[in-house]
Structure formats: C-alpha cells, structure tokens
C-alpha cells in the first residue's frame, strides 16, 4: 500500500495546542484538545459550502450548527474443473469449509457489561423519544440560534423511534432450507454440500441465540465495543487478543500512555472506564483525537480504535487520527422524513460523493445533498447507490480499501452531514443504498485493521489465505466469532444509525471461493460452485448478514456483486439460499466492451440477447451497460469507445456532426435501452454516463515506485479527471443534452409501464441478417435495428395482445439527438395470424440504428385521448374569428 496524500481534505483546521495543566487524577478539562474547537472554528457555511438547506415545504436540516468545524471539502472464459467434495457431518480440521467456533469464545458477549446496563448510553444519536420530539420541532439558524419549526411530525410511528421498534422485532428462526431443490432440481446432485452449508448456518444461529441472546442483540456490538457513554462516564473496549498491554491515549490525557491503562479479560478484550469530570462533563470531549497504544509481538503500536465512528487526516500529516465523535444534542442531526417504500423495480444512480462536482475538487455531503440529489430525482431514478462511504485512507482506492469500517469518510464532511443527505433523499422519495465492503480490508497498518494487535490473524486469516495478492489487501476470517460480531454490527450500524435502505455488497465472488475468482473461468458447471474451492464460512456469513438485514429491516435491499453465477444466490435464506435480493449482472458490461472493439458487421444479435438474458430463474438481477469500473483510467466509457477524440470537437450543435458522432450517439442510446429492456429486474447507471461523459476517471495520485523497480506515473495530484461535468449534459447547445434526455425518458418509461418487473417477457425475433431484435415485456414491444445502413419499411413484428399500439419511446427523436424518422402520431393496429410464434403482428418502420418502443393503448387511455382531442377541438372552434 502506498500511503499517498490525496489532496487537501478541507480548507482549514483549528490550531492544535497542548496544555501543561494536566493532572491524571484531577479534572481533565484543561488538557482537552479538539479538532472541533469552537474558539478557533470558521463559519460552517464557508467550510461546508452550506450549513442547511430549505425544502419547498420546510427546513429538513435541524442540527447543522455553526459551532462545529467541518473538515468538508458471469464470466464466459475458459473452463476449470474441481473435484467434488464429500462432506461429512463434521468438517475436517483446518478445512476451508470448517466453522471454527469455540464455545468459550461464544460466552464472550455475555461476560461484557456496560457501566450501567439499565442506562442507555447518552451518545446514542437517536436519543429518547421525548428529547427527539422536542428537537424535531426546532431547527438551527446559521449562528446556532434555535427557532421553533412550524411543522412537527405527529404520526404514531416516525423515523425518530424506528430504532426502538427494530429492537422489538424478532428475526425469524431458520427454516428447513429445502425449497432450493424444488426451484432447481439439478441441485439435488449437490445436496450433501448444500445441506452441510445450511446445517453450519443453523448451528451458528443456535450458538448466537444461546451465548448472545439472539442475532438482533449480537448485531448491536457497537453498544458494548468501542466508546460507549453512560450517565457516569465513558467506557472503552477493544478486542485485541495479541496485545500484551494496552492504554487509551489522546488529546484528553496529553497522549500520556501511563495515564489510562486498560485491563484485559480472558477473551482478549481490553477495557477502561473514564468517569465524568467533577462538573459532569465527559472525560473525553467531542472532537478529541484518540488512539489505543498496545505493546504487541511486533512492538509498540498506536492504532485507531477498530469501532471508531469518525477519523480524520490533519494537514501535513499522513496517518489518520481517531476522533471521539459525540456532539451535543443541539448539534446532532435529527431525521425528519420516513424511508420511502421499497421500489417495485430498482433504477439505481451509482454515485461517488467526492467526484460529484463539476469543479476539480473533493465534493461534500452537503453539496451532493443540495445539488446532486435533485438532479437524480429529475432524471427519474428511484435509488442512489453511494460509493466510498466507509473511511479509506487512500482516496484513489475508490473507497474499496477500507480502513475504518464504522466511520463515514471525513473527506466529504461529518457524520451528521451524511445523515442530512440521506434524510433529504428520503424526502425526495429516493432509496439510498450503500456500497459496503466486507470482502476485504486495507493493507494499511497505520490507520486500519491490518496487524491491529501486532499479529496478522486478529481479524483476518493468517498467512497466504489472509492476503489477496491482486488487491493487495487483507481477507477476513469469517469463521471467527468476533469477526462475525464486527461485520454483522457494521451492517446494522449503517442501516440503523444512518438510515441507509440497503447495500450493494462488493467483491462477493472473492468471498465465496478460496481462489477468489482469480484466473478461473466459470462455465456454469455446478461442480465449480459446490466443492473444495467454496469458502463455506464466507457463504454462511453472507446468509447471516442477509438474515439479519431482512429480519430487522424487511424493506431493505441487498445486492451482491457476483460474477460467478453462484446458484441459490438470490433465494431466501429460509429456503436454503444465500439471501440476496439481486445479483449484479456483471457479464453485460464486459460483453459491450468486447463488442465495441469489433466492427458493426461482426456484432451478433443472438450473442447480445444471450448475454442479456443469461440469468437464473427466480433470481433477480440488476443490469448495467457500464458502471464505475468501465470509466476508470486504463479503460473507456461506452461513449468514448464509440466516439473517441471526435467528442472534443464535434459535440456542439452549431458544428456539423461526423459519421463517428452519429454512430456513437445512436448506439449509445440503443445499448442502454436494450440493456434495461432485457437485462434484469433492476437497472444501474454510473453518474454522468447517462449523457455520455467524456474521457475517464483518474484520481489525484503521486508517482509510484514498485518493488520490481518499475514506476507508475502519477498525475501531479490533479482533480481534472476526478469530477463529473454535469454542465455538459445540461447545455442545450451540446449533443450531450440529447443523450441525457433519452436516459431520462427511459426511466420514465419504466416508471409508467413497469416493464422490468413484468412477468411477461418473450423474444420473438433475433435476426442476424436484418440485425433486428424484437421482444415483448409487459404491454410493450421493443424493436431494435442494429443495422448500420438498412432501414425497413412495413416490417412485420409479432405481438401477443390485440388492439392499437402507439410509439412510447423513439431513440431517433430529434429531442434525443436523432433524425426524426418515426411519426409519433401514427397508430398501429394488429393483424390476426401467427408470426414469429406470436398470434398477432403489426407493421412498422424500422430505421437503421434505431430503437422504438410500442405500447398497447388500453381502452381507458384511448378514451382519455379522445376526450383530450375533443377539448382541443372545442378550444380551436371557440378561438376562430367571427366574420362580420
């Protein structure tokens, strides 16, 4: 791991000083140093761009205070064979399929008590219902002055008391796990493996029930581990079994390693209690820097607490600091808006906070809330998937090398800023998904979990099994009790504390196999999924986390990034599946890149259709033509593959186009629509790609010198390619605008007709000679002509339902940068008689490189059109001049 400063994190920070008036036995206030010092803080408006925003109805931000300083700113390659594994009731020792759970370790949590188990920690950001009802009736003005809000949510069940309701929910007990054999009879040949897998899951559930009081209680590890606050003081606990001694250090005790020595229990948990100061204030003030100093087998080591909920990199420093984040009640964000209902079909806008500004800088949660969320709503997406939320020291890792799993990235603002973003999204009716990383962790030993207690086996497998050679990262030991507590609690934390509505789990293929999917071509042979190469511990963890999420948050959404095509992946856990709601259909994007490297004449429409529809029955998929992966430096976006350097000179409407631009604009629209139409039950787009964002993504980075002597050039820490030029898509004088309008029309087409989730889907034509694809989905008929020169008049296409069809979407519309060859006023009536295995047909005009969607006009819609036409006719008659 190269520890590289990724640029200026924020405009300024207060000066840090040390007081000489510290006494280890006296009041600690004189030694308190905070990165949130009010005396030296600048205006929150300057640092975070905006401290609050006003919706059309009323302010939604009630806790943005001027007192807090914000540091804002399925693969189809070669085949591989695996011998079938004969499973026995007890997995062999050290087997990849073994779940090594020590019953003595299981008792761990029951031995840990808070300072006062009857008192809820006051650092719980949800607070009491009475406190929050009062707080929600107030909003803060810029100077921190309280003002009564004109509105108060008086409903019986509000977002405020959601956490209390969740605690009362019981997670259903495990089912029989046998329905998978009814869904897919081929799985019976692998019953031994699958039954063993399910038995391991059930044993783990039983053990958690016995030793931890159930999965719900087990997943609240953050209420016992890390920093917890009670009425009498602060308790800090850390699991570090390899440490020989430990002390809590920080600004609050002048970094004195002898001041606050921790004690260890038999399970490797270190603990210390810090009583309140004599005036009742906490021993550690909000905003203080904290670390744990441990004497380890590798020497003395200062580490950021593993459960820290905020960490920060100060200017001119490379290591991050753990920050004790416990703001006063008046500075905490209070959620106002309930979660939106779970969408029937997902239309996901994949986003990255830092690069979401048109300007070359690191953007903030606040700016994303105020500027980007309304854009997402206007574009017609109903979900936003946010990357790089978990803190990551290396900005160029795109957020996938996580160092602090419970801390939202401080590059973009404070935890409360993130909460205000999510609340605003909910107000707009947008579901918020988080790109969560539980597949691996950063190799960083300064800021992260690697070598946390001086050993390589604290949270991870030791040796080669705990290291991902391609990603240069550490791999979790999913068979360890405390690792399960940590990761399950982490998932619960983001859903409960920040009100995320679900997750996209990154790197799931790497988790499920000991070979991590590297240099392996998955062919669909079931022996590739159920053998010695399967990491049963990891699969069981995925079953547990899906069980937890769906048990406590029934409307939460889980999406798994799996390229292998693992059977049972999206089948509920109680039926024997892994439990995800959706699989990310990764093969589609790879297919488009493969085709874009060929001539149009070499495209095969049958190959396109096969890739788009190659998914398992009853398992939902999220499809995409391109995501962030295709935009990274070294690759190209679809628009750049299609139009290349012509995008620099010929995208202005006042200049003549080129054949390359015309081809690129036409195919860009067709590729996205056919992917949405056939690819799955959900759709994803990475921000900016909806309008064909030019060039690539390149994070600010320095030159890297590798161990073999080679050098990877840097870019002088430039942010020029690490931003989104939304202004291009908005400019009416550029051709990008047409692509953006088409993408928007796609979203509204799905919103109106809900074709992605329709049970009716039939592909009636995939003609290689004509380069035509015709299919039905719901009450829509999609017609694609991929031919580069040929247009077809009176082209017959089959359909199921009789009646009248009209154009619902036309990629050749001049509004979308097309040539206007389709008459939108035309009506298409069905002919009886079988054609392309359909009982009826219609005759259409199919221009070259054009996609047209035809919608069946139902009687109610037809009557509305006739009434509207009659009204127009009356108005026209009334406006005729009267002759004298």
């Amino acid at each position: 791991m190269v520890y590289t400063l990724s640029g200026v994190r924020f405009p300024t920070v207060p000066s840090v000083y040390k007081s000489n008036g510290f006494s280890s036995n006296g009041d600690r206030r004189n030694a308190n140093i905070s990165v949130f010092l009010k005396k030296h803080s600048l205006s929150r408006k300057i640092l975070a761009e905006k401290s609050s925003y006003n919706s059309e109805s009323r302010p939604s931000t009630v806790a943005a205070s001027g007192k807090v300083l914000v540091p804002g700113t399925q693969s189809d390659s070669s085949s591989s064979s695996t011998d079938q594994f004969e499973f026995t009731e007890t997995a062999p020792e050290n087997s990849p399929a073994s779940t090594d759970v020590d019953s003595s370790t299981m008792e761990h949590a029951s031995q840990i008590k808070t300072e006062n188990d009857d008192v809820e920690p006051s650092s719980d950001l949800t607070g009491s219902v009475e406190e929050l009802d009062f707080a929600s009736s107030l909003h803060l003005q810029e100077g921190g002055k309280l003002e009564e809000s004109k509105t108060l949510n008086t409903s019986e069940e509000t977002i405020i008391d959601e956490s209390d309701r969740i605690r009362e929910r019981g997670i259903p007990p495990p089912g029989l796990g046998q329905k998978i054999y009814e869904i897919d009879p081929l799985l019976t040949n692998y019953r031994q493996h699958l039954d063993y897998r399910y038995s391991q899951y059930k044993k783990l559930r039983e053990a958690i029930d016995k030793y931890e009081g159930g999965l719900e209680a087990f997943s609240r590890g953050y209420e016992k581990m890390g920093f917890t606050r009670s009425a009498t003081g602060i308790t800090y606990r850390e699991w570090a079994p390899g440490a020989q001694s430990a002390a809590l250090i920080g600004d609050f005790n002048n970094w004195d390693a002898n001041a606050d020595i921790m004690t260890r229990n038999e399970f490797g948990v270190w603990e210390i209690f810090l009583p309140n100061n004599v005036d009742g204030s906490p021993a550690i003030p909000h905003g203080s820097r904290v670390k744990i100093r441990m004497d380890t087998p590798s020497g003395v080591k200062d580490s950021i607490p593993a459960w820290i909920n905020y960490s920060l990199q100060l200017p001119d420093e490379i290591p991050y600091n753990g920050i004790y984040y416990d703001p006063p009640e008046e500075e905490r964000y209070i959620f106002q808006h309930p979660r939106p209902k779970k969408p029937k079909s997902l239309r996901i806008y994949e986003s990255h906070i830092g690069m979401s500004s048109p300007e070359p800088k690191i953007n903030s949660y606040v700016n994303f809330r105020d500027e980007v969320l309304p854009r997402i709503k206007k574009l017609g997406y109903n979900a936003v998937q946010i990357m790089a939320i978990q803190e990551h020291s290396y900005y160029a890792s795109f957020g996938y090398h996580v160092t602090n799993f419970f801390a939202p990235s401080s590059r973009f603002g404070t935890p409360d800023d993130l909460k205000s973003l999510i609340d605003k999204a909910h107000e707009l009716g947008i579901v918020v998904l988080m790109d969560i990383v539980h597949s691996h962790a950063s190799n960083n030993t300064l800021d992260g979990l690697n070598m946390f207690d001086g050993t390589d086996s604290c949270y991870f497998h030791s040796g080669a099994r705990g290291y991902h050679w391609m990603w240069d990262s550490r791999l979790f030991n999913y068979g360890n009790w405390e690792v399960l507590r940590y990761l399950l609690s982490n998932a619960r934390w983001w859903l409960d504390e920040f009100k995320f509505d679900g997750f996209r789990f990154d790197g799931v293929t790497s988790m499920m196999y000991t070979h991590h999917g590297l240099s392996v071509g998955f062919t669909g042979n079931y022996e590739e999924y159920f053998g010695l190469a399967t990491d049963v511990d990891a699969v069981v963890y995925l079953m547990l986390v899906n069980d937890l999420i769906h048990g406590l948050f029934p409307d939460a959404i889980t999406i798994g990034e799996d390229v292998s095509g693992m059977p049972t992946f999206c089948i509920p856990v109680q039926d024997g599946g892994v439990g995800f709601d959706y699989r990310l259909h990764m093969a589609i994007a790879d297919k488009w890149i493969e085709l874009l490297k060929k001539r149009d004449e070499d495209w095969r429409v049958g190959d396109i259709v096969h890739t788009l529809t190659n998914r398992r029955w009853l398992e939902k998929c999220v499809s995409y033509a391109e995501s962030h992966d295709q935009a990274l430096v070294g690759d190209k976006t679809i628009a750049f593959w299609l139009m290349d350097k012509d995008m620099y000179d010929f995208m202005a409407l006042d200049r003549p186009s080129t054949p390359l631009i015309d081809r690129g604009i036409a195919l860009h629209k067709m590729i996205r629509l056919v992917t949405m139409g056939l690819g799955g039950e959900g759709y994803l787009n990475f921000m900016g790609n909806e309008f064909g964002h030019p060039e690539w993504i390149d994070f600010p980075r320095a030159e890297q010198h590798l161990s073999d002597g080679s050098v990877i050039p840097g870019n002088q820490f430039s942010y020029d390619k690490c931003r989104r030029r939304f202004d291009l898509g908005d400019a009416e004088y550029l051709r990008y605008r047409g692509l953006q309008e088409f993408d928007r029309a796609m979203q509204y087409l799905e919103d109106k007709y809900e074709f992605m989730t329709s049970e009716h889907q039939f592909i009636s034509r995939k003609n290689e000679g004509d380069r035509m694809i015709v299919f039905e989905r719901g009450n829509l008929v999609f017609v694609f002509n991929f031919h580069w020169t040929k247009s077809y008049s009176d082209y017959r296409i089959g359909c199921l339902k009789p009646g009248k069809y009209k154009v619902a979407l036309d990629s050749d519309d001049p509004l979308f940068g097309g040539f206007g060859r389709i008459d939108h006023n035309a009506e298409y009536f069905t002919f009886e008689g079988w054609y392309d295995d359909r009982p009826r047909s219609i005759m259409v005009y199919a221009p070259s490189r054009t996609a047209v969607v035809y919608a069946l006009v139902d009687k109610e819609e037809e009557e509305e059109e006739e009434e509207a036409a009659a009204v127009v006719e009356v108005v026209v008659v009334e406006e005729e001049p009267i002759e004298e």
Side-chain angles (χ1 to χ4, degrees):
M1 174 64 65
V2 178
Y3 301 104
T4 308
L5 283 172
S6 59
V8 179
R9 298 283 186 269
F10 38 82
T12 186
V13 293
S15 59
V16 178
Y17 64 92
K18 291 187 178 181
S19 168
N20 295 322
F22 171 76
S23 170
S24 60
N25 298 320
D27 195 317
R28 301 170 180 263
R29 287 175 297 165
N30 293 333
N32 291 337
I33 299 177
S34 170
V35 299
F36 294 110
L37 285 171
K38 299 181 179 70
K39 186 181 298 183
H40 302 281
S41 66
L42 298 180
S43 165
R44 183 181 177 91
K45 185 173 183 180
I46 296 174
L47 294 174
E49 300 181 34
K50 294 182 182 179
S51 63
S52 63
Y53 63 90
N54 292 323
S55 66
E56 294 180 1
S57 56
R58 62 184 175 84
S60 296
T61 301
V62 296
S65 169
K67 296 182 180 179
V68 177
L69 178 66
V70 180
T73 58
Q74 160 166 154
S75 174
D76 39 285
S77 53
S78 60
S79 159
S80 67
S81 61
T82 308
D83 293 332
Q84 184 174 347
F85 184 71
E86 296 281 335
F87 284 96
T88 56
E89 291 227 353
T90 306
E93 187 177 352
N94 298 326
S95 163
S98 65
T99 302
D100 184 16
V101 177
D102 187 346
S103 61
S104 64
T105 308
M106 294 177 188
E107 298 172 3
H108 174 195
S110 61
Q111 304 296 323
I112 299 176
K113 303 293 182 183
T114 56
E115 164 66 14
N116 186 344
D117 281 343
D118 297 327
V119 178
E120 289 294 327
S122 60
S123 60
D124 183 356
L125 299 188
T126 55
S128 67
V129 175
E130 291 79 14
E131 290 171 338
L132 294 175
D133 281 344
F134 171 74
S136 64
S137 68
L138 304 169
H139 74 271
L140 288 169
Q141 296 178 323
E142 196 168 42
K145 185 180 177 182
L146 290 173
E147 177 182 308
E148 290 188 27
S149 173
K150 297 178 181 179
T151 342
L152 180 64
N153 193 341
T154 56
S155 60
E156 291 184 8
E157 288 192 356
T158 67
I159 193 68
I160 295 174
D161 57 10
E162 182 191 59
S163 295
D164 295 328
R165 298 197 307 272
I166 289 169
R167 288 169 182 259
E168 298 172 1
R169 280 192 191 126
I171 298 175
L176 298 176
Q178 299 296 301
K179 193 173 180 180
I180 52 174
Y181 305 117
E182 299 174 23
I183 296 171
D184 186 355
L186 290 177
L187 293 173
T188 55
N189 298 324
Y190 303 90
R191 182 185 288 272
Q192 195 171 22
H193 176 106
L194 291 164
D195 285 352
Y196 170 78
R197 183 179 84 181
Y198 202 74
S199 70
Q200 292 299 101
Y201 154 74
K202 290 178 70 174
K203 287 178 183 177
L204 210 44
R205 279 290 306 268
E206 291 167 1
I208 291 171
D209 288 345
K210 180 178 180 180
Y211 296 105
E212 301 284 356
L215 198 52
E216 188 279 326
F218 189 47
S219 64
R220 284 188 278 116
Y222 47 82
E223 292 184 355
K224 293 185 180 294
M225 304 298 291
F227 292 96
T228 58
R229 175 102 175 268
S230 68
T232 55
I234 298 170
T235 301
Y236 170 59
R237 297 186 184 91
E238 198 72 74
W239 179 63
Q244 297 157 2
S245 66
L248 180 62
I249 57 175
D251 293 326
F252 74 99
N253 65 6
N254 212 20
W255 300 90
D256 185 352
N258 298 313
D260 296 293
I261 305 297
M262 303 177 72
T263 59
R264 183 188 191 276
N265 70 11
E266 67 269 34
F267 305 107
V269 176
W270 297 87
E271 178 176 341
I272 189 171
F273 175 72
L274 304 176
N276 289 337
N277 293 316
V278 292
D279 63 352
S281 62
I284 309 176
H286 165 57
S288 291
R289 296 176 297 170
V290 289
K291 286 192 175 182
I292 178 173
R293 177 166 294 176
M294 293 174 282
D295 187 3
T296 77
S298 303
V300 176
K301 183 177 187 292
D302 292 352
S303 295
I304 295 176
W307 297 74
I308 199 74
N309 58 13
Y310 193 53
S311 61
L312 189 64
Q313 184 184 42
L314 298 179
D316 302 323
E317 289 188 9
I318 291 180
Y320 272 63
N321 288 281
I323 303 296
Y324 180 73
Y325 193 84
D326 185 21
E329 289 290 339
E330 66 272 13
E331 294 176 0
R332 297 178 185 177
Y333 187 83
I334 307 299
F335 285 93
Q336 298 292 298
H337 304 285
R339 300 176 186 267
K341 291 182 179 179
K342 184 177 182 179
K344 186 177 180 181
S345 64
L346 274 179
R347 302 189 302 276
I348 303 170
Y349 198 78
E350 186 183 32
S351 305
H352 184 285
I353 302 293
M355 67 171 64
S356 62
S357 171
E359 301 173 25
K361 66 175 186 177
I362 295 179
N363 206 12
S364 67
Y365 295 123
V366 171
N367 183 271
F368 188 93
R369 177 195 70 197
D370 295 342
E371 303 295 334
V372 183
L373 284 179
R375 169 180 294 276
I376 296 170
K377 178 68 174 179
K378 184 178 179 181
L379 287 171
Y381 290 87
N382 58 18
V384 57
Q385 178 180 298
I386 308 180
M387 309 168 61
I389 290 296
Q390 293 165 293
E391 188 60 89
H392 47 290
S393 296
Y394 188 40
Y395 189 43
S397 73
F398 228 134
Y400 291 120
H401 281 221
V402 176
T403 46
N404 310 119
F405 282 77
F406 287 81
S409 180
S410 58
R411 288 181 180 86
F412 318 134
T414 68
D416 288 286
D417 291 337
L418 175 58
K419 291 178 180 181
S420 74
L421 183 161
I422 295 170
D423 200 26
K424 178 62 177 179
H426 289 169
E427 180 186 6
L428 295 173
I430 299 173
V431 166
V432 187
L433 306 177
M434 175 177 163
D435 198 342
I436 197 169
V437 184
H438 282 183
S439 50
H440 64 134
S442 171
N443 201 26
N444 184 334
T445 58
L446 292 177
D447 309 315
L449 296 179
N450 188 24
M451 302 292 290
F452 182 76
D453 65 350
T455 72
D456 73 340
S457 58
C458 185
Y459 284 91
F460 313 106
H461 290 290
S462 61
R465 190 181 174 191
Y467 179 73
H468 197 294
W469 60 267
M470 180 174 283
W471 293 346
D472 187 28
S473 57
R474 298 303 313 275
L475 300 172
F476 287 106
N477 179 1
Y478 301 102
N480 183 285
W481 193 261
E482 291 306 315
V483 173
L484 288 177
R485 186 199 308 279
Y486 187 80
L487 294 178
L488 290 170
S489 298
N490 187 244
R492 168 82 175 266
W493 168 257
W494 293 109
L495 293 173
D496 198 357
E497 182 70 20
F498 288 86
K499 311 304 179 189
F500 279 98
D501 302 298
F503 300 113
R504 177 251 196 203
F505 279 83
D506 175 71
V508 175
T509 301
S510 174
M511 296 173 67
M512 294 192 297
Y513 308 96
T514 54
H515 53 60
H516 311 301
L518 301 176
S519 303
V520 175
F522 291 96
T523 64
N525 186 325
Y526 278 26
E527 291 188 4
E528 297 166 357
Y529 308 112
F530 310 121
L532 281 170
T534 304
D535 189 334
V536 174
D537 286 348
V539 176
V540 168
Y541 165 70
L542 292 171
M543 295 167 72
L544 278 173
V545 74
N546 274 297
D547 219 7
L548 170 76
I549 292 168
H550 293 122
L552 297 181
F553 303 87
D555 286 338
I557 299 162
T558 59
I559 304 168
E561 186 200 32
D562 172 40
V563 71
S564 74
M566 164 71 81
T568 75
F569 191 75
C570 294
I571 294 176
V573 175
Q574 61 266 31
D575 296 333
V578 182
F580 285 99
D581 294 308
Y582 296 87
R583 184 202 311 275
L584 207 58
H585 202 333
M586 302 174 68
I588 296 175
D590 294 337
K591 175 57 65 177
W592 287 125
I593 297 302
E594 175 191 325
L595 291 175
L596 290 171
K597 295 176 181 178
K598 300 179 179 180
R599 303 178 308 155
D600 291 10
E601 295 87 339
D602 297 326
W603 290 26
R604 294 291 175 263
V605 295
D607 187 26
I608 294 172
V609 170
H610 172 75
T611 302
L612 290 170
T613 57
N614 184 22
R615 54 186 186 272
R616 299 190 183 280
W617 184 54
L618 293 182
E619 297 196 35
K620 295 186 290 186
C621 286
V622 172
S623 65
Y624 58 96
E626 55 183 339
S627 69
H628 67 274
D629 287 329
Q630 286 71 42
L632 285 171
V633 61
D635 205 340
K636 296 180 184 179
T637 63
I638 286 179
F640 218 52
W641 273 109
L642 289 167
M643 295 176 278
D644 205 57
K645 65 180 183 300
D646 277 21
M647 297 184 77
Y648 294 116
D649 299 315
F650 301 100
M651 292 299 281
L653 290 173
D654 61 355
R655 291 189 180 185
S657 182
T658 67
L660 200 62
I661 292 293
D662 290 342
R663 171 184 180 267
I665 287 176
L667 288 178
H668 191 274
K669 293 177 287 187
M670 295 180 72
I671 287 170
R672 303 175 85 77
L673 182 59
V674 75
T675 299
M676 188 183 202
L678 274 182
E681 294 71 29
Y683 178 78
L684 178 143
N685 166 65
F686 180 66
M687 63 178 184
N689 288 350
E690 68 273 8
F691 60 81
H693 200 289
E695 299 184 319
W696 53 88
I697 295 169
D698 190 9
F699 282 87
R701 53 192 169 82
E703 185 177 85
Q704 296 184 35
H705 296 264
L706 304 182
S707 57
D708 61 2
S710 59
V711 178
I712 300 176
N715 62 4
Q716 289 78 48
F717 293 107
S718 171
Y719 287 83
D720 185 61
K721 300 284 191 296
C722 194
R723 53 176 171 156
R724 294 284 90 181
R725 294 291 306 276
F726 293 122
D727 54 309
L728 299 178
D730 293 340
E732 295 183 359
Y733 58 87
L734 296 177
R735 291 184 167 90
Y736 296 105
R737 179 65 179 268
L739 295 177
Q740 178 168 285
E741 289 302 314
F742 181 76
D743 192 86
R744 183 184 178 196
M746 278 173 41
Q747 310 311 317
Y748 282 97
L749 182 77
E750 158 56 26
D751 188 63
K752 180 177 180 180
Y753 292 99
E754 299 182 338
F755 59 85
M756 284 198 299
T757 54
S758 172
E759 293 183 3
H760 175 62
Q761 176 176 311
F762 189 90
I763 301 164
S764 59
R765 173 161 291 219
K766 40 186 178 179
N767 188 297
E768 298 294 352
D770 295 344
R771 295 295 199 273
M772 293 288 296
I773 298 174
V774 181
F775 61 88
E776 303 162 21
R777 207 156 182 194
N779 285 336
L780 301 179
V781 179
F782 293 75
V783 180
F784 291 83
N785 180 1
F786 278 96
H787 204 285
W788 48 99
T789 58
K790 289 185 180 180
S791 300
Y792 306 102
S793 299
D794 296 331
Y795 196 86
R796 177 170 290 186
I797 59 173
C799 59
L800 174 65
K801 297 182 179 181
K804 181 175 71 174
Y805 288 80
K806 294 195 70 174
V807 173
L809 181 62
D810 166 25
S811 71
D812 201 45
D813 191 320
L815 176 65
F816 310 139
F819 297 101
R821 291 170 288 178
I822 298 293
D823 182 0
H824 293 180
N825 295 317
E827 297 176 338
Y828 304 85
F829 294 90
T830 56
F831 297 91
E832 294 296 320
W834 286 88
Y835 188 80
D836 281 350
D837 292 328
R838 311 313 288 147
R840 296 165 188 90
S841 59
I842 57 176
M843 306 285 280
V844 302
Y845 175 48
S848 61
R849 286 185 180 144
T850 295
V852 183
V853 182
Y854 298 90
L856 178 67
V857 180
D858 56 31
K859 291 183 178 179
E860 184 178 338
E861 187 177 350
E862 194 168 4
E863 290 172 358
E864 289 176 358
E865 288 182 359
E866 291 174 357
E867 290 177 4
V871 170
V872 171
E873 187 176 346
V874 169
V875 171
V876 170
V877 170
E878 289 179 349
E879 290 181 352
E880 287 182 356
I882 301 173
E883 296 182 2
E884 294 183 0

